[in-house]
Amino acid sequence: MPTELEELVEFLHHGNTQIRQIAAEELVAYSTAEPSLFKRNQLEPVKDLKLLIKDYTPIAKNALTILINISEGEEVLKNVVEDDAYLELLLKRVTNQAEPNANEQCMLLANLGKSSSIKKLLTLKREVPKPLSTSPIAIDQLLDCFVKGSAGSYNKYADYDYLSYLFADLAKDEAGRKHFLTPRKEDTNIVPLTKLVVFTEHKSTIRRRGVANTIKNTAFNVHDHARLMAEQSDDGVGVLPYLLLPLMGDEEYSDEDTEGMLDECQLLPPDKQREQEVDIISTHLDTLLLLTTSKEGRERLREVKCYPIVRELHLQVEDEGVREGCDRLVQVLMRDEEGEEGEAEAGAVVPRVQEVEEDEDDQIVEVM
């Protein structure tokens, strides 16, 4: 005989709305405590939960919450992400300006990003949701949700912050990196990543973290570093100020340090706040380190006075991981290039550095 909880799961497809609502509400807690409840009978409860996205708002919200919690499991993840009809329904609702559960749907999409099958969003064509977007490609439409929907400006019920985690996962793959760095003819030739970099100092920690990891993952393509660092007026992304500004606080720099800094990094207000989350700071440091892979990248970071900014960051932030990241980056920036003579060759010690070793953080990231 089925247990009481198993019987409760059966009520997810009951014909009575009140019974469905009570069942969905009661089962939310068990989606984390006993996720196996929803894997019975060849995932029949998952099929019920997917149908409930079209139910009344509170029922749909609880059903989405359950799916978010149980989609960490490979079996459920595969079932949801490979269901093209459900994915289309999810996209239709996320892009709907009046959708009350759009944030929960974004969370589910973020979880689906853990599956390689989610790459289909990069090429999936669907109806253009006007006036939100001009592109028929699903990922472009989600980017427009993320940009235009910040702080409820597109949909009063949603901020779309969790889509940034989806973008970070897509950027783990070569096809995703290529998409984020390729001008979109469907969107007046805008490079998609330029839409994201502006959020590195946004008030939302989720948004900042996801964007930081998206930028870092695109930086694994060394041949794209020149485009990443080039100004947007020169068909580049102009990423450097968006990486350096979060590392800066209200400290003052000498004229020598300031000379050559990017305009955006000079004359900062006295109440300028540094990024508070040390994991996000470390991600930006990782990205800067990746940009030093080529000689041109190292020279550019020296030109814009990256070293003084990292030096002050090392002094101001008392976190071992951040300080180790600073040390790795400073060693690369301060050492002489091959064939040059300088103080390193003369035996001088580069300040606050340690030997650069292969670092596991330089691998493609997992956003938690």
Side-chain angles (χ1 to χ4, degrees):
M1 285 185 62
T3 66
E4 289 185 4
L5 281 176
E6 289 170 344
E7 288 182 345
L8 187 60
V9 171
E10 293 293 323
F11 289 139
L12 288 173
H13 57 245
H14 198 280
N16 185 294
T17 301
Q18 282 188 311
I19 292 176
R20 289 198 310 276
Q21 182 170 347
I22 292 171
E25 186 175 346
E26 291 293 323
L27 286 168
V28 169
Y30 294 101
S31 62
T32 53
E34 295 187 46
S36 60
L37 271 174
F38 304 91
K39 300 177 183 180
R40 300 173 60 253
N41 301 331
Q42 297 181 318
L43 300 181
E44 183 178 346
V46 174
K47 298 173 187 176
D48 291 338
L49 290 166
K50 289 190 291 186
L51 287 173
L52 292 180
I53 192 175
K54 297 182 287 187
D55 213 318
Y56 292 102
T57 298
I59 299 175
K61 183 182 181 73
N62 285 324
L64 283 163
T65 302
I66 294 171
L67 278 174
I68 291 164
N69 291 338
I70 66 176
S71 60
E72 293 183 0
E74 185 175 346
E75 191 178 6
V76 176
L77 178 62
K78 178 179 172 65
N79 177 279
V80 177
V81 78
E82 294 183 0
D83 185 340
D84 291 340
Y86 181 71
L87 188 61
E88 167 57 29
L89 183 58
L90 200 58
L91 291 169
K92 183 177 181 180
R93 289 181 174 270
V94 167
T95 55
N96 182 346
Q97 194 169 9
E99 172 57 48
N101 292 325
N103 272 346
E104 286 76 18
Q105 291 154 7
C106 289
M107 291 181 192
L108 182 56
L109 282 169
N111 279 5
L112 300 186
K114 302 304 178 187
S115 168
S116 60
S117 297
I118 202 64
K119 288 189 296 183
K120 70 179 81 174
L121 293 178
L122 298 170
T123 54
L124 179 64
K125 289 188 176 182
R126 56 187 307 277
E127 183 179 352
V128 178
K130 296 180 179 180
L132 170 68
S133 183
T134 58
S135 173
I137 304 300
I139 190 60
D140 293 336
Q141 296 172 9
L142 293 177
L143 278 162
D144 286 327
C145 279
F146 183 76
V147 174
K148 298 178 181 180
S150 172
S153 49
Y154 173 68
N155 178 344
K156 66 180 182 180
Y157 303 107
D159 54 36
Y160 300 95
D161 289 347
Y162 276 96
L163 286 178
S164 62
Y165 286 13
L166 171 66
F167 303 150
D169 279 327
L170 285 169
K172 293 177 183 178
D173 187 84
E174 175 63 30
R177 293 192 288 272
K178 182 178 179 181
H179 185 94
F180 286 122
L181 291 169
T182 301
R184 303 295 298 158
K185 63 181 181 180
E186 300 89 349
D187 193 12
T188 62
N189 285 323
I190 291 175
V191 177
L193 192 60
T194 61
K195 292 183 173 185
L196 298 181
V197 294
V198 298
F199 294 109
T200 58
E201 292 193 289
H202 193 269
K203 64 181 180 179
S204 166
T205 301
I206 294 167
R207 184 171 283 245
R208 296 197 312 276
R209 181 176 289 119
V211 167
N213 282 300
T214 304
I215 297 170
K216 175 181 173 178
N217 285 347
T218 58
F220 275 84
N221 277 5
V222 178
H223 59 271
D224 287 318
H225 284 184
R227 165 167 275 188
L228 280 169
M229 291 186 285
E231 299 293 335
Q232 292 186 14
S233 57
D234 296 325
D235 296 326
V237 176
V239 75
L240 289 182
Y242 300 108
L243 295 175
L244 294 172
L245 279 169
L247 308 184
M248 304 176 74
D250 59 359
E251 56 271 356
E252 295 183 3
Y253 294 90
S254 68
D255 291 342
E256 181 182 358
D257 286 341
T258 304
E259 185 178 357
M261 277 188 184
L262 296 168
D263 290 344
E264 296 91 337
C265 296
Q266 299 188 44
L267 302 176
L268 298 177
D271 59 349
K272 170 68 172 71
Q273 295 291 310
R274 180 180 286 103
E275 171 61 60
Q276 297 296 303
E277 302 297 326
V278 293
D279 68 295
I280 299 177
I281 293 176
S282 293
T283 299
H284 290 318
L285 289 170
D286 288 344
T287 304
L288 290 167
L289 187 62
L290 285 168
L291 294 177
T292 66
T293 305
S294 67
K295 181 178 180 180
E296 293 74 17
R298 294 190 293 275
E299 290 178 344
R300 180 58 179 155
L301 290 180
R302 291 172 186 140
E303 287 173 4
V304 301
K305 296 298 181 70
C306 179
Y307 169 67
I309 295 172
V310 175
R311 179 194 65 209
E312 290 301 316
L313 174 66
H314 189 285
L315 291 172
Q316 299 295 332
V317 179
E318 296 182 1
D319 177 81
E320 182 178 353
V322 168
R323 289 185 168 177
E324 288 178 355
C326 291
D327 287 343
R328 289 194 297 268
L329 180 57
V330 167
Q331 179 175 350
V332 175
L333 293 177
M334 298 298 285
R335 74 187 179 197
D336 290 325
E337 298 292 343
E338 185 177 353
E340 294 180 358
E341 294 183 0
E343 59 180 49
E345 191 174 5
V349 177
V350 180
R352 306 297 297 178
V353 299
Q354 58 190 27
E355 191 66 22
V356 177
E357 299 175 354
E358 185 176 357
D359 179 37
E360 64 182 4
D361 289 338
D362 289 344
Q363 300 170 15
I364 297 295
V365 298
E366 290 275 344
V367 181
M368 301 304 291

